């Protein structure tokens, strides 16, 4: 089955530093990847949609200059949290969609998530 | 704006019971609905995907139904086991123009006691 990996699985950083999270589709090509954020006891909130070779589309209220997304290849998307602050501490999950399927029948494959703690 | 609600927020049952988790959505113009399982501190595992033209999907002890007109879906778990303990999330794809963007409910935290 389709596998999506994330690296790192957890990271602790100091306030003001930047953190990069990688999302990889291991055995398929993903033209579209999604980044979600999940706070404790809450559901997943879509942050942005990342299309290979083009700029990411951010959801309302998500700062694009703070959460930099790069989708440079069909198997890799990165999320960089710039100048991280304690309120950015959260669980970040990516997902990938197989490019050739239609939205009505496809499914997203989710990564295992990255726990970010900003001190 | 699509809103997805799941009831109950938490559920605790003894092993062996059959149970039903509920999901409702405000905009019936969906393309499909998907049920996921999330273990603590982990990512999501897809359980069942129901296309908008379908009324139900089954996988093992799981059965999911979809009623678009009323904006509801249910996940039925038969003969529950302690290993079923997890948070169950439902999500809808809002429409063709939104691609595969999922809107999630807040989940039902299930505990199956041995």
């Amino acid at each position: 089955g389709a596998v999506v990996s994330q690296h790192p699985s957890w990271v602790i950083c100091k306030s003001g530093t930047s953190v990069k999270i990688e999302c990889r589709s291991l055995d398929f090509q993903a033209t579209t990847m999604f980044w979600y954020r999940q706070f404790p006891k809450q559901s997943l909130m879509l942050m942005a949609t990342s299309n290979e070779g083009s700029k990411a589309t951010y959801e309302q209220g998500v700062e694009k200059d703070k959460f930099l997304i790069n989708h440079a290849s069909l198997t890799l998307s990165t999320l960089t949290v710039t100048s991280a602050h304690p309120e950015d501490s959260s669980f970040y999950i990516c997902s990938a969609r197989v490019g050739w399927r239609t939205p009505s029948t496809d499914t997203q494959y989710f990564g295992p998530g990255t726990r970010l703690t900003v001190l | 704006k699509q809103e997805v609600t799941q009831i109950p927020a938490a559920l605790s049952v003894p092993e062996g019971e059959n149970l039903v988790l509920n999901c409702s959505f405000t905009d019936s113009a969906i393309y499909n609905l998907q049920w996921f399982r999330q273990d603590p501190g982990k990512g999501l595992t897809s359980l069942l995907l129901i296309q908008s033209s379908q009324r139900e999907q089954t996988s093992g002890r799981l059965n999911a139904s979809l009623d678009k007109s009323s904006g509801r879906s249910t996940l039925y778990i038969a003969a529950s086991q302690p290993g079923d303990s997890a948070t169950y999330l439902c999500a809808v794809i809002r429409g063709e123009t939104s691609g595969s963007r999922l809107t999630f409910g807040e989940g039902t935290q299930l505990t199956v006691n041995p």
Side-chain angles (χ1 to χ4, degrees):
Chain A
V3 178
V4 176
S5 70
Q6 281 185 242
H7 178 80
S9 56
W10 59 270
V11 57
I12 301 173
C13 69
K14 293 182 178 180
S15 184
T17 61
S18 295
V19 175
K20 179 184 285 187
I21 303 170
E22 293 185 348
C23 176
R24 292 181 185 272
S25 56
L26 297 185
D27 49 3
F28 66 100
Q29 293 184 330
T31 56
T32 305
M33 290 184 172
F34 303 86
W35 287 95
Y36 296 85
R37 181 166 53 183
Q38 185 179 34
F39 292 108
K41 302 293 185 181
Q42 296 185 24
S43 190
L44 280 74
M45 296 299 294
L46 179 66
M47 298 176 66
T49 301
S50 169
N51 292 298
E52 185 268 337
S54 63
K55 291 183 178 180
T57 302
Y58 290 81
E59 294 298 298
Q60 191 173 8
V62 178
E63 300 174 60
K64 60 183 65 178
D65 294 330
K66 181 170 185 63
F67 299 99
L68 302 179
I69 292 173
N70 183 284
H71 193 161
S73 77
L74 287 172
T75 60
L76 173 64
S77 176
T78 60
L79 167 68
T80 301
V81 183
T82 63
S83 187
H85 291 284
E87 57 265 32
D88 298 323
S89 299
S90 187
F91 193 54
Y92 292 85
I93 303 178
C94 72
S95 70
R97 179 170 78 92
V98 177
W100 53 268
R101 296 186 183 181
T102 61
S104 62
T105 58
D106 71 357
T107 188
Q108 292 182 30
Y109 300 96
F110 284 80
T114 296
R115 173 77 57 194
L116 170 63
T117 301
V118 184
L119 302 176
Chain B
K1 178 186 175 183
Q2 178 73 274
E3 293 183 1
V4 180
T5 305
Q6 290 187 244
I7 296 173
L11 181 64
S12 181
V13 300
E15 181 176 4
E17 271 204 9
N18 302 322
L19 56 99
V20 175
L21 307 181
N22 298 290
C23 173
S24 62
F25 44 94
T26 54
D27 185 350
S28 62
I30 65 170
Y31 258 63
N32 63 36
L33 183 144
Q34 199 163 356
W35 283 93
F36 295 88
R37 168 187 173 136
Q38 185 178 30
D39 293 288
K42 303 292 184 181
L44 275 64
T45 300
S46 178
L47 298 174
L48 291 165
L49 182 148
I50 310 177
Q51 297 175 34
S52 59
S53 59
Q54 299 174 323
R55 294 191 67 84
E56 66 177 334
Q57 281 285 335
T58 298
S59 175
R61 295 183 292 108
L62 305 179
N63 176 277
S65 68
L66 174 63
D67 184 342
K68 274 187 60 176
S69 61
S70 65
R72 292 188 298 184
S73 175
T74 61
L75 178 66
Y76 175 83
I77 302 177
S80 59
Q81 302 171 358
D84 295 330
S85 299
T87 296
Y88 290 80
L89 298 165
C90 74
V92 298
I93 288 182
R94 289 175 277 178
E96 183 69 40
T97 56
S98 65
S100 301
R101 292 159 61 192
L102 292 168
T103 300
F104 283 87
E106 293 195 346
T108 293
Q109 185 173 354
L110 172 66
T111 303
V112 181
N113 302 299

